[in-house]
Amino acid sequence: MNVRQYIAAIDQVDSIKRYGKVSRAVGLMIESLGPEANIGDVCLIHRPTNGKAVMAEVVGFSDEKLILMPYAQATEIGPGCLVESTGKALTVKVGRGLIGQVVNSLGECLNDSKLPKGLTSYLTEQSPPNPLTRPPISEPIQVGIKAIDAMLTVGKGQRVGIFAGSGVGKSTLLGMMARNSSADINVIALIGERGREVREFIDRELGKEGLKKSVVVVATSDQPALMRIKGAYTATAISEYFRDLGFDVNLLMDSVTRVATAQREVGLATGEPPTTKGYTPSVFAALPKLLERTGTSSKGTITAFYTVLVDGDDLNEPIADSVRGILDGHFILDRKLAEQGQFPAINILKSISRVMSNIVSDDHLEAAQQIRELMATYDENSELIQIGAYKRGTNQVIDRAISYHPKIQAYLKQGISDYHSLDASINQMKTLLNGGA
């Protein structure tokens, strides 16, 4: 036994606890004079009237004062409350025992039960994998939705944005993906959701079968901004843990827009200047750091689906535009299609999977392109067709598009409880083109 190592470790231990004290609180921000801490460290604010300390994170400093943001509501905190530094960043407990659990942004069970034993601590903030160690995406993954598997095939390790306004079916689509996907594990992040919707999503959209292979991370809209941000980081960290074990993981985050909104709140509270549509510079710096953590690695894959809320169905608003430039594809949910009763309301012509051509067979790609051409032809001439101004026989291409239109529309529709394998979806598409129903 090397006693010198133990003696050296003992010499480095600081046996004296050092505290700071709260000096000011404005809005979301709490200032404290001391203790020694770095940006990103977790501190404990001790309340005199309540024995339970409030966890807070160091988000900045001014002169010698720390700027803290609490993870919980800052109640019963006053001038002079003691602030203790933990000396480390936020960690959560992860492990296989976490599968089937619903946790908050700090990794604690939401049903007031204790976490299973045998879990290990894992930092919520990690660096993205080295670009040169990322294998290229070469294999498709089954999503279980015909329109996506056949027309917008997703690869293992691809990152896709689902863009839509409110009430167009994003949550329903995520639930179908979680139940029908061929991935080993689902990690579902519900960020900024209404409290009512959380239980409804778990019971109705996800179901018992979906929950058995899922970990759900919840940060509701009433929680502080930092908790909503950490919900996204915690879900990503859990996904990374399982990816490093060699699993194929699905990360489903609803929604990245609410993460950006929470980051804007933090930025404004710490004194950042508002820029595009009120978003602070830190928002556009944080998005790629978060989104680039998913994808392929030398050990496993994280196939990520991020929903993006678009105000007034404007796909060019700042967050949507930024996210679309980072990800490997985007699915557009169209309100007009939803109003016509087509679910999932995916606008195939406006959507794209940037890796599809690299992961599917030539005959699959050719069939998908033929259907796209038929849909585009019908869409270009839809007004003439609907008002009866187009006469059959004028153009063979348009005639063919008209004859195929009802078959294509019927093919793209899918019930919430319907299940279709990847091969079955492709075969149905080829049968449709060859004159089948």
Side-chain angles (χ1 to χ4, degrees):
M1 182 182 291
N2 191 347
V3 180
R4 291 181 180 177
Q5 291 181 353
Y6 291 95
I7 294 173
I10 292 170
D11 287 340
Q12 291 175 4
V13 172
D14 189 355
S15 59
I16 302 172
K17 281 190 175 182
R18 292 175 172 82
Y19 294 91
K21 63 179 182 178
V22 173
S23 60
R24 184 169 175 254
V26 179
L28 307 175
M29 181 181 66
I30 295 175
E31 284 187 5
S32 74
L33 188 60
E36 291 184 7
N38 300 317
I39 291 177
D41 284 357
V42 175
C43 292
L44 301 175
I45 303 175
H46 296 275
R47 297 180 289 191
T49 57
N50 189 336
K52 192 175 181 181
V54 175
M55 292 177 67
E57 183 175 309
V58 181
V59 295
F61 54 87
S62 176
D63 296 328
E64 295 182 1
K65 293 181 179 180
L66 296 181
I67 300 175
L68 304 167
M69 296 202 80
Y71 290 129
Q73 298 295 335
T75 55
E76 300 179 11
I77 294 176
C81 285
L82 296 179
V83 181
E84 177 186 357
S85 174
T86 62
K88 58 183 181 181
L90 181 66
T91 59
V92 292
K93 295 288 185 180
V94 293
R96 299 193 186 199
L98 205 59
I99 299 172
Q101 300 287 341
V102 181
V103 299
N104 64 11
S105 302
L106 305 180
E108 302 165 340
C109 285
L110 277 183
N111 59 1
D112 295 328
S113 63
K114 292 185 178 180
L115 288 170
K117 294 183 179 179
L119 304 180
T120 58
S121 294
Y122 197 84
L123 281 170
T124 59
E125 295 202 29
Q126 302 280 343
S127 298
N130 187 318
L132 295 182
T133 64
R134 287 183 183 265
I137 299 169
S138 58
E139 187 179 349
I141 189 170
Q142 174 186 300
V143 174
I145 297 168
K146 289 187 294 182
I148 296 174
D149 283 339
M151 301 295 299
L152 302 163
T153 312
V154 176
K156 288 183 179 179
Q158 187 175 351
R159 300 160 305 147
V160 180
I162 300 172
F163 295 75
S166 56
V168 189
K170 296 185 300 300
S171 298
T172 303
L173 187 64
L174 291 183
M176 292 172 69
M177 288 178 176
R179 291 194 310 273
N180 301 336
S181 172
S182 60
D184 302 316
I185 296 166
N186 297 313
V187 180
I188 302 168
L190 303 177
I191 310 298
E193 288 285 350
R194 305 175 188 89
R196 171 186 62 81
E197 291 181 335
V198 173
R199 184 65 182 268
E200 287 182 2
F201 177 85
I202 294 170
D203 290 347
R204 296 181 186 176
E205 315 294 352
L206 189 59
K208 290 183 179 179
E209 291 302 315
L211 187 59
K212 283 181 182 178
K213 67 169 190 175
S214 302
V215 181
V216 183
V217 181
V218 176
T220 51
S221 58
D222 61 295
Q223 293 183 333
L226 206 56
M227 280 289 273
R228 283 175 270 146
I229 296 170
K230 291 301 173 184
Y233 283 91
T234 297
T236 306
I238 294 170
S239 303
E240 288 170 326
Y241 171 81
F242 286 114
R243 177 183 64 185
D244 292 344
L245 292 180
F247 289 108
D248 291 323
V249 183
N250 265 2
L251 173 62
L252 310 167
M253 187 178 295
D254 185 15
S255 71
V256 73
T257 308
R258 294 189 179 116
V259 179
T261 303
Q263 183 66 49
R264 175 175 63 184
E265 291 179 35
V266 172
L268 292 173
T270 54
E272 282 189 75
T275 53
T276 311
K277 285 198 174 180
Y279 288 100
T280 56
S282 64
V283 174
F284 300 100
L287 282 175
K289 289 180 182 177
L290 175 65
L291 303 181
E292 284 290 343
R293 287 170 60 180
T294 55
T296 60
S297 78
S298 57
K299 298 175 182 176
T301 64
I302 301 175
T303 307
F305 298 91
Y306 300 96
T307 67
V308 182
L309 284 166
V310 287
D311 294 334
D313 297 325
D314 177 17
L315 296 172
N316 295 316
E317 62 99 23
I319 299 302
D321 203 38
S322 179
V323 171
R324 190 167 54 244
I326 297 168
L327 299 179
D328 309 317
H330 53 270
F331 301 160
I332 308 297
L333 300 189
D334 195 326
R335 192 176 297 278
K336 287 183 180 178
L337 293 177
E339 290 169 352
Q340 293 168 7
Q342 181 176 319
F343 290 100
I346 301 171
N347 189 319
I348 301 295
L349 296 176
K350 292 183 179 179
S351 305
I352 190 170
S353 171
R354 292 179 181 170
V355 303
M356 180 177 174
S357 58
N358 301 326
I359 59 174
V360 301
S361 62
D362 291 340
D363 58 335
H364 176 186
L365 188 61
E366 184 181 351
Q369 287 175 342
Q370 284 185 42
I371 289 185
R372 271 185 176 268
E373 288 171 4
L374 289 168
M375 294 178 71
T377 301
Y378 187 90
D379 189 61
E380 287 173 6
N381 299 278
S382 61
E383 290 185 7
L384 292 174
I385 296 167
Q386 288 169 7
I387 65 174
Y390 175 78
K391 293 182 180 180
R392 289 263 186 159
T394 307
N395 186 311
Q396 290 184 355
V397 176
I398 298 176
D399 289 346
R400 188 165 182 260
I402 292 171
S403 64
Y404 272 97
H405 179 70
K407 296 179 182 179
I408 294 172
Q409 293 299 99
Y411 171 75
L412 295 176
K413 286 183 181 180
Q414 183 170 335
I416 294 174
S417 57
D418 291 349
Y419 168 79
H420 297 273
S421 67
L422 178 64
D423 292 335
S425 298
I426 296 168
N427 290 333
Q428 285 182 40
M429 177 180 65
K430 291 178 180 177
T431 303
L432 184 154
L433 279 174
N434 293 329

